[in-house]
Amino acid sequence: MGDKITVPHILKMKQRGERITCLTAYDYSFARILDEAGVEMLLVGDSLGCVIQGGANTLAVTMDEMIYHTRLVAHGCKRALVIGDMPFMSYQTGTADALRNAGRFFKEAGAAAIKLEGGVAVQESIRAIVAAGMPVMGHIGLTPQSVHQFGGYKIQGREKNRREAVLRDATAVESAGAFAVVLEGIPQDLAGEITERLTIPTIGIGAGVECDGQVLVIHDMLGLFDDFVPKFVKRYADVKQTMLGAVKEFMVEVKERKFPAEEHSFK
Ligand code: KIV
């Protein structure tokens, strides 16, 4: 399968024009499968607030919960780069908190990088975390932790002034030292412009095909989560239907006394 994926490896992929794949993971078993498939980056996203915890948004997720899930993923992962997602209010309160909380992902959870949302507003925190030796992935555009400020999950950067703001965020994240940046929920031509301007890889979600890589929430792309399905999600499988079929078959076999059979029983 090859050597462990590192931050320099991800940067080289952009230089070589190789597309980068990233999926979210929240536990050991999923991490093992995605790692075996060869996905380059596993993001332990605070999206777990929705797909694991059933919340309406990501705001309630805590540092301790992120550390717990990141540790499970790092344990299941031999090759992919494991990225821990900084939850709401773990870095917005200032550089000292950002530094301390970023450090927990490395010391307690085995992460190889962290991600945080924002551009110009968080550039000092990114700079401090990178200066302490911890790789940072930025996240700009439709940043879900700002859902209340946006008034919903709305595409960002459509109007001229908002487009310029997203471009400024992209430049701020790169110059602060981030090794990559997630572009979420922005027009594809804006994502293309950012991808061309930056030397670090752009990882898109709802940002079109011009990005250097793509990320999806694993529960969305496998069809495991259907509380809401954004337009940018492609369903690569219908695992919910497969699960329903298996569970129903189990129930029928138990009720009809067909399971367990001889081969599942002991003498
Ligand atoms: O929390 C998350 O899973 C994310 C990705 C969707 C980029 O931030």
Side-chain angles (χ1 to χ4, degrees), residues 11 14 170 173-174 178-181 194-195 198-202 212:
L11 286 164
K14 172 157 182 151
V173 164
E174 173 167 79
F179 75 94
V181 60
I194 293 170
T195 301
L198 299 190
T199 58
I200 59 171
T202 58
D212 298 303

Side-chain angles (χ1 to χ4, degrees), residues 11-54:
L11 286 164
K12 277 203 193 96
M13 286 181 77
K14 172 157 182 151
Q15 288 154 13
R16 289 198 291 254
E18 258 177 74
R19 288 298 197 240
I20 300 160
T21 56
C22 179
L23 287 168
T24 67
Y26 314 103
D27 69 25
Y28 172 83
S29 301
F30 272 67
R32 281 200 63 156
I33 295 168
L34 304 185
D35 196 47
E36 187 180 323
V39 173
E40 285 93 13
M41 300 197 291
L42 294 190
L43 171 66
V44 189
D46 65 354
S47 50
L48 67 82
C50 302
V51 300
I52 302 292
Q53 298 176 339

Side-chain angles (χ1 to χ4, degrees), residues 49-216:
C50 302
V51 300
I52 302 292
Q53 298 176 339
N57 56 50
T58 60
L59 303 185
V61 178
T62 67
M63 266 305 295
D64 286 345
E65 289 163 351
M66 290 308 305
I67 294 295
Y68 171 74
H69 285 280
T70 305
R71 192 183 299 130
L72 307 186
V73 169
H75 187 43
C77 183
K78 290 194 175 78
R79 178 174 176 267
L81 188 83
V82 175
I83 306 167
D85 204 5
M86 304 266 298
F88 181 55
M89 293 313 279
S90 67
Y91 58 97
Q92 289 90 342
T93 47
T95 302
D97 283 347
L99 200 50
R100 188 167 38 249
N101 285 319
R104 288 191 62 193
F105 280 96
F106 296 81
K107 284 179 84 80
E108 299 174 37
I114 59 97
K115 174 174 86 58
L116 51 77
E117 295 182 9
V120 173
V122 293
Q123 61 185 337
E124 286 320 314
S125 293
I126 295 177
R127 209 182 301 283
I129 296 168
V130 172
M134 297 178 274
V136 175
M137 175 184 256
H139 184 167
I140 62 171
L142 199 184
T143 43
Q145 291 175 14
S146 303
V147 59
H148 293 305
Q149 201 162 39
F150 296 147
Y153 295 103
K154 297 181 179 158
I155 300 303
Q156 298 297 304
R158 279 197 170 126
E159 311 77 13
K160 190 168 181 294
N161 64 330
R162 290 298 306 145
R163 185 182 175 98
E164 279 157 12
V166 176
L167 282 165
R168 277 196 300 278
D169 283 339
T171 307
V173 164
E174 173 167 79
S175 54
F179 75 94
V181 60
V182 171
L183 306 181
E184 177 163 356
I186 60 171
Q188 59 178 351
D189 69 314
L190 175 55
E193 187 176 340
I194 293 170
T195 301
E196 215 171 283
R197 276 195 195 185
L198 299 190
T199 58
I200 59 171
T202 58
I203 310 297
I205 176 162
V209 75
E210 297 302 320
C211 300
D212 298 303
Q214 296 292 328
V215 57
L216 282 176

Side-chain angles (χ1 to χ4, degrees), residues 227-241:
D227 290 6
F228 54 89
V229 183
K231 173 183 157 78
F232 58 73
V233 170
K234 178 170 176 184
R235 284 246 163 108
Y236 286 86
D238 196 345
V239 176
K240 177 177 170 180
Q241 285 311 317

